[in-house]
């Protein structure tokens, strides 16, 4: 199959190939290392020094001339009659690859492995070791090993592609990167059921399957692998090679959610600031990167290698991270939900921090707008890196909200004449607007504490969503109250202006009670809150009275009411239960007042009758005494008048009626 039995038996040891040639001009027993120089173990003294970097090779001209076209040109085209020193500062593969090439020229057996094949292939091309000089030269040998051994093995392809990082542009020109990328993509997209393989599944071993020939009785023969088995292996590659692999996988037809999961795992590994503190994996399809990458030979892939760059480490790291962010943005699948909204927002945060290209940032903002309802408040709190006015980038959230609204408008806005799935999507979009409204209200409450946040920015963000997106304005009220608390110097006009963003009729009972006692609100707003609450209570009492009077004709729909209660948010249900209690309390107090009023009316009537009796008795005893006794009565004390009143004789009723009439005539 894709790997030899030797690889399966040795674990991390790959199937090697020993190449050598029987034709050599100098007999030798091998090479010897002395300090920073290599010497050929032979009796013939060396006549050529090849300097590769800091390492010197004391060799002989004839073995090199017989197999290297470049050495032929250097020696024969040189102006010196007898050249004895050659320097190779730009040799791909370095001194290690040249050592293997020199051994091949001397006929010494060379082990070809996945770790040295790419460097040796580039060195052979650099030295022009073609078939024109000798049949079976090094280019032919290395090319055959690449085609028939490396590209048929999953792990060999990964390792060779990893080793090509410091061989640019030679590895690109020789199509090593392209061939390894396509090999990896083909194996990643292959159905695991159609091949014989064993998935180790152990954290301490390689997370990829062993693509080898196995016995039918092997315990791992029928073991099913998870769909993300290739994520960890691919994530060790450098970003440009990772992009090549992902692009090839897209062409092969891999599902977009798997590609997105692989991108999220790669970002969490290579961008330290991208992963939340204390959070786990990016998604259900990703595994722990630490446990499955414990092998020392694979851990080296966590560090990016850029050859020939002499910049300072901080600047180099910033450039590398910027390149990673830009590359990840460019390869994210266009389908919605291919990656999580949380990942997109954290990637956007790093893009703003690293000053990524504006076109890519705009594209990323549009992607966030497509799934803005999935965001969380923590992910939206993006600092303002380019500005110093506010602590958080409020303008960025405004743009994200605009992209979300544009996306909502492009989709059908009416569920009429649609299929069941379309209607469900329509309802989902309505719920999405409500979730976004709650998210924006929470964001406004958080950023309103910033003293530098202007009233205009607050108002524009609060009024960006349509009124139908909010069924309750309690969140807006909290944001407004928080803003007023953080900005105590606002004028009366500004306070009225910020209070216009909320609808007093959409406030719950608790919010109305708090607003009625809030000294920070303008008086006009408090009056509106009280009036709207009074209207609500009046309507509730009227509806309740109507229900009681027409109880015989009132038949509530239990299923509809139950569905309505289930569809109503919990906060609204709690507010309505509180309102019902208040209504019942008011009704009880009203009945009590009616009873007390009737009792007071009865007491008032009794007192009035007693007063009338007393007044009649006093009038009849006073007018029968005449004018003379009237003066005495006015001068008597109350006690004396009460005593004398008992001694006055009674007068007939007719005289009593005539007495006042004569008195009035005498006065007139």
């Amino acid at each position: 199959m894709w790997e030899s039995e030797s690889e399966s038996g040795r674990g991390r040891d790959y199937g090697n190939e020993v190449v050598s040639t029987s034709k050599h001009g100098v007999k030798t027993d091998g090479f010897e290392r002395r300090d920073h120089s290599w010497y050929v173990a032979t009796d013939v003294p060396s006549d050529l020094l090849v300097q590769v970097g800091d390492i010197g090779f004391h060799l002989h001209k004839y073995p090199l001339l017989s197999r290297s076209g470049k050495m032929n040109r250097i020696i024969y085209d040189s102006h010196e009659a007898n050249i004895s020193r050659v320097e190779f500062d730009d040799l791909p593969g370095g001194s290690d690859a040249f050592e293997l090439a020199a051994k091949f020229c001397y006929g010494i057996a060379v082990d070809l492995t996945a770790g040295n094949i790419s460097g040796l292939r580039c060195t052979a091309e650099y030295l022009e070791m073609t078939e024109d000089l000798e049949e079976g030269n090094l280019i032919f040998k290395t090319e055959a090993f690449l085609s028939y051994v490396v590209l048929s093995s999953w792990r060999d392809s990964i390792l060779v592609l990893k080793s090509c990082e410091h061989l640019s542009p030679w590895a690109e020109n020789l199509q090593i990167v392209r061939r390894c990328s396509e090999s990896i993509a083909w194996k990643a997209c292959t159905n695991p059921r159609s091949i014989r393989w064993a998935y180790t599944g152990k954290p301490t071993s390689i997370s990829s399957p062993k693509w080898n020939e196995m016995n039918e009785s092997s315990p791992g023969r029928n073991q099913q692998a998870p769909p993300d088995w290739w994520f960890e292996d691919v994530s060790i590659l450098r970003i440009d090679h990772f992009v090549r692999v992902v692009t090839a996988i897209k062409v092969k037809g891999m599902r977009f959610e798997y590609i997105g999961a692989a991108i999220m795992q790669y970002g969490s590994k290579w961008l330290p600031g991208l992963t939340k503190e204390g959070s786990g994996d990016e998604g259900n399809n990703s595994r722990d990167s630490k446990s499955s990458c414990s092998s020392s030979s694979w851990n080296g892939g966590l560090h990016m290698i850029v050859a020939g760059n002499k910049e300072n480490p901080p600047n180099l790291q910033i450039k590398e991270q910027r390149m990673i962010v830009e590359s990840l943005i460019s390869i994210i699948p266009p389908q919605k939900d291919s990656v999580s909204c949380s990942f997109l927002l954290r990637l956007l945060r790093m893009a703003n921090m690293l000053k990524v290209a504006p076109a890519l940032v705009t594209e990323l903002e549009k992607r966030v707008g497509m799934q803005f309802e999935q965001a969380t408040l923590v992910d939206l709190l993006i600092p303002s890196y380019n500005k110093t006015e506010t602590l958080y980038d409020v303008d960025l959230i405004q743009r994200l909200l605009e992209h979300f609204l544009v996306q909502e408008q492009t989709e059908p806005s009416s569920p009429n004449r649609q299929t069941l799935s379309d209607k469900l999507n329509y309802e989902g979009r309505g719920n999405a607007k409500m979730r976004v409204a709650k998210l924006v209200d929470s964001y406004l409450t958080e950023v309103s504490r910033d003293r530098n946040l202007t009233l205009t920015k607050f108002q524009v963000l609060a009024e960006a969503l349509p009124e139908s997106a909010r069924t309750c304005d309690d969140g807006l009220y909290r944001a407004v109250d928080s803003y007023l608390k953080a900005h105590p110097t606002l004028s009366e006009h500004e306070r009225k202006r910020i209070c216009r963003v909320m609808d007093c009729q959409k406030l719950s009972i608790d919010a109305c009670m708090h607003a009625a006692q809030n000294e920070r609100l303008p008086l006009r707003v408090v009056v509106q809150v009280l009036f709207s609450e009074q209207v609500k209570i009046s309507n509730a009492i009227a509806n309740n009275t109507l229900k009681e009077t027409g109880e015989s004709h009132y038949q509530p729909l239990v299923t509809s009411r139950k569905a309505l209660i289930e569809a109503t948010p919990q906060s609204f249900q709690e507010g309505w239960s509180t309102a019902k209690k208040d209504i019942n309390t008011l009704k009880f107090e009203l009945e009590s007042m009616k009873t007390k009023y009737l009792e007071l009316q009865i007491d008032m009537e009794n007192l009035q009758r007693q007063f009338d009796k007393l007044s009649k008795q006093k009038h009849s005893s006073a007018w029968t005494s005449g004018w003379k006794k009237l003066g005495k009565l006015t001068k008597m004390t109350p006690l004396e008048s009460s005593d004398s009143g008992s001694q006055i004789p009674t007068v007939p009723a007719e005289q009593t009626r005539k007495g006042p009439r004569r008195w009035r005539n005498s006065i007139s």
Side-chain angles (χ1 to χ4, degrees):
M1 291 298 290
W2 288 350
E3 287 187 349
S4 63
E5 288 293 335
S6 59
E7 178 184 352
S8 177
R10 289 193 301 268
R12 290 301 299 163
D13 295 334
Y14 289 82
N16 303 337
E17 179 176 339
V18 180
V19 294
S20 62
T21 176
S22 59
K23 300 177 182 179
H24 51 84
V26 179
K27 293 182 179 181
T28 177
D29 296 331
F31 280 31
E32 296 178 357
R33 178 72 179 267
R34 302 172 189 172
D35 296 334
H36 294 284
S37 301
W38 283 94
Y39 295 88
V40 182
T42 179
D43 296 336
V44 180
S46 62
D47 56 354
L48 180 64
L49 173 62
V50 180
Q51 190 73 28
V52 181
D54 297 335
I55 306 299
F57 294 86
H58 298 270
L59 307 175
H60 302 84
K61 293 181 181 179
Y62 177 72
L64 299 180
L65 293 176
S66 62
R67 293 168 181 83
S68 174
K70 189 176 185 66
M71 294 299 298
N72 275 279
R73 290 202 318 273
I74 292 176
I75 293 177
Y76 290 119
D77 295 347
S78 177
H79 298 288
E80 299 180 11
N82 188 12
I83 185 172
S84 61
R85 178 184 175 86
V86 177
E87 293 184 3
F88 292 142
D89 295 332
D90 55 347
L91 180 72
S95 58
D96 294 337
F98 184 80
E99 176 192 349
L100 297 178
K103 289 181 178 180
F104 178 82
C105 294
Y106 278 90
I108 302 174
V110 177
D111 292 339
L112 299 182
T113 65
N116 61 25
I117 187 63
S118 58
L120 191 57
R121 173 68 181 88
C122 295
T123 299
E125 189 71 21
Y126 179 86
L127 296 176
E128 302 175 10
M129 303 176 72
T130 62
E131 295 294 296
D132 297 337
L133 297 175
E134 183 178 351
E135 184 178 357
N137 209 345
L138 189 56
I139 291 180
F140 174 80
K141 297 286 187 180
T142 54
E143 191 65 32
F145 185 81
L146 275 172
S147 301
Y148 296 103
V149 178
V150 171
L151 299 182
S152 62
S153 170
W154 166 263
R155 289 179 295 177
D156 284 356
S157 300
I158 293 287
L159 287 179
V160 170
L161 188 57
K162 181 66 182 173
S163 64
C164 291
E165 294 177 355
H166 59 281
L167 295 175
S168 299
W170 287 90
E172 287 284 351
N173 297 334
L174 296 176
Q175 304 297 317
I176 300 177
V177 174
R178 181 189 62 79
R179 288 183 288 174
C180 289
S181 301
E182 292 182 354
S183 174
I184 294 170
W186 183 80
K187 294 177 179 62
C189 296
T190 301
N191 188 358
R193 297 179 181 178
S194 63
I195 56 176
R196 296 179 180 179
W197 70 310
Y199 183 78
T200 58
K202 298 178 181 179
T204 56
S205 59
I206 301 305
S207 61
S208 62
K210 296 179 180 179
W211 302 86
N212 57 356
E213 188 74 27
M214 298 190 65
N215 298 325
E216 293 293 333
S217 60
S218 175
R221 171 67 178 83
N222 298 321
Q223 184 179 1
Q224 184 64 33
D228 62 341
W229 63 266
W230 53 276
F231 289 1
E232 184 63 33
D233 292 343
V234 173
S235 65
I236 71 167
L237 301 174
R238 200 173 64 184
I239 183 60
D240 53 341
H241 295 161
F242 177 77
V243 171
R244 296 285 294 271
V245 171
V246 170
T247 304
I249 289 177
K250 285 183 180 180
V251 174
K252 302 295 182 183
M254 173 70 74
R255 294 175 58 179
F256 66 88
E257 57 265 26
Y258 294 150
I259 297 176
I263 292 174
M264 287 192 294
Q265 178 157 337
Y266 187 90
S268 64
K269 172 176 287 189
W270 287 81
L271 299 173
L274 195 63
T275 307
K276 297 179 183 177
E277 295 181 0
S279 63
D281 298 332
E282 289 294 335
N284 296 329
N285 294 332
S286 60
R287 297 189 301 272
D288 189 3
S289 61
K290 296 180 181 179
S291 61
S292 59
C293 190
S294 59
S295 177
S296 60
S297 60
W298 293 77
N299 285 337
L302 300 179
H303 305 283
M304 183 179 292
I305 301 174
V306 180
N309 202 327
K310 298 181 180 180
E311 296 187 24
N312 297 329
N315 296 333
L316 177 61
Q317 185 179 6
I318 290 175
K319 285 190 175 183
E320 291 171 354
Q321 291 187 352
R322 184 188 301 123
M323 181 175 62
I324 293 174
V325 172
E326 292 177 348
S327 301
L328 293 181
I329 295 173
S330 62
I331 62 174
I332 294 177
Q335 292 85 355
K336 183 180 179 180
D337 296 331
S338 58
V339 294
S340 65
C341 185
S342 178
F343 175 81
L344 291 174
L345 284 169
R346 283 178 275 143
L347 197 64
L348 182 59
R349 179 199 298 261
M350 293 204 68
N352 290 334
M353 181 179 63
L354 299 172
K355 297 181 179 180
V356 173
L360 293 175
V361 173
T362 303
E363 181 65 24
L364 187 57
E365 291 176 359
K366 292 180 181 179
R367 292 300 309 272
V368 174
M370 291 174 59
Q371 31 192 130
F372 193 59
E373 69 277 6
Q374 303 172 5
T376 60
L377 177 61
V378 177
D379 295 326
L380 289 183
L381 297 177
I382 301 176
S384 180
Y385 296 105
N386 300 327
K387 304 173 184 177
T388 58
E389 297 178 359
T390 57
L391 179 62
Y392 297 108
D393 198 344
V394 182
D395 296 333
L396 173 61
I397 306 303
Q398 176 67 28
R399 293 195 300 270
L400 297 179
L401 192 56
E402 291 175 357
H403 291 308
F404 169 77
L405 295 175
V406 169
Q407 181 68 23
E408 290 291 317
Q409 292 176 358
T410 55
E411 298 178 356
S413 59
S414 176
N416 298 330
R417 296 182 181 180
Q418 293 179 353
T419 62
L420 179 61
S421 60
D422 294 335
K423 292 182 179 180
L424 293 176
N425 291 333
Y426 174 77
E427 295 177 358
R429 289 193 297 272
N431 295 331
K433 287 185 179 180
M434 293 181 182
R435 288 194 295 269
V436 170
K438 292 181 181 179
L439 184 62
V440 171
D441 294 346
S442 301
Y443 180 79
L444 286 173
T445 304
E446 188 68 26
V447 301
S448 61
R449 301 183 180 92
D450 189 359
R451 296 291 183 89
N452 296 326
L453 181 63
T454 61
L455 177 59
T456 302
K457 287 186 177 181
F458 183 93
Q459 187 176 9
V460 169
L461 186 57
E463 296 177 346
L465 288 170
E467 295 182 359
S468 59
R470 293 184 178 92
T471 56
C472 180
D473 280 7
D474 286 7
L476 269 181
Y477 171 70
R478 283 191 294 268
V480 169
D481 184 56
S482 178
Y483 189 87
L484 293 175
K485 187 176 181 180
H487 300 78
T489 59
L490 293 177
S491 62
E492 185 72 14
H493 174 71
E494 291 174 337
R495 289 192 295 160
K496 290 180 180 179
R497 177 182 167 190
I498 194 174
C499 289
R500 293 195 191 103
V501 301
M502 62 180 181
D503 187 358
C504 297
Q505 297 181 359
K506 292 184 179 181
L507 296 179
S508 64
I509 301 294
D510 296 335
C512 289
M513 293 177 61
H514 186 277
Q517 303 174 2
N518 195 344
E519 298 179 354
R520 290 183 289 271
L521 295 178
L523 182 59
R524 181 182 180 87
V525 177
V526 176
V527 172
Q528 290 178 355
V529 170
L530 294 176
F531 177 75
S532 63
E533 187 61 22
Q534 184 67 26
V535 171
K536 290 179 185 177
I537 295 176
S538 301
N539 293 335
I541 294 175
N543 293 333
N544 195 20
T545 305
L546 182 62
K547 176 182 176 182
E548 291 178 353
T549 56
E551 188 173 1
S552 60
H553 302 285
Y554 181 79
Q555 296 180 356
L557 298 175
V558 179
T559 56
S560 300
R561 183 174 181 274
K562 183 178 179 181
L564 181 61
I565 291 176
E566 291 178 354
T568 305
Q570 186 67 25
S571 60
F572 301 157
Q573 296 181 22
E574 294 175 356
W576 175 241
S577 62
T578 306
K580 288 173 65 178
K581 292 180 182 178
D582 295 341
I583 292 170
N584 294 331
T585 304
L586 290 174
K587 287 177 63 179
F588 177 76
E589 293 178 355
L590 183 60
E591 294 295 334
S592 301
M593 291 298 296
K594 287 182 180 180
T595 305
K596 291 181 180 180
Y597 179 71
L598 293 176
E599 293 176 356
L600 289 174
Q601 275 189 336
I602 295 172
D603 294 341
M604 186 65 184
E605 291 177 356
N606 294 332
L607 291 174
Q608 186 67 31
R609 284 194 296 269
Q610 293 177 5
F611 180 76
D612 290 342
K613 289 180 181 180
L614 291 175
S615 62
K616 286 180 181 180
Q617 292 177 1
K618 290 181 180 181
H619 285 303
S620 60
S621 61
W623 293 116
T624 54
S625 60
W627 280 99
K628 294 181 180 180
K629 293 182 179 181
L630 181 62
K632 293 181 179 180
L633 290 174
T634 56
K635 296 178 181 179
M636 291 172 61
T637 62
L639 183 60
E640 294 174 346
S641 63
S642 61
D643 296 338
S644 62
S646 60
Q647 301 175 0
I648 297 173
T650 60
V651 181
E654 295 179 357
Q655 296 180 4
T656 305
R657 296 191 194 99
K658 294 178 182 180
R661 203 173 290 158
R662 288 196 303 270
W663 176 72
R664 277 199 298 222
N665 290 336
S666 63
I667 290 178
S668 60

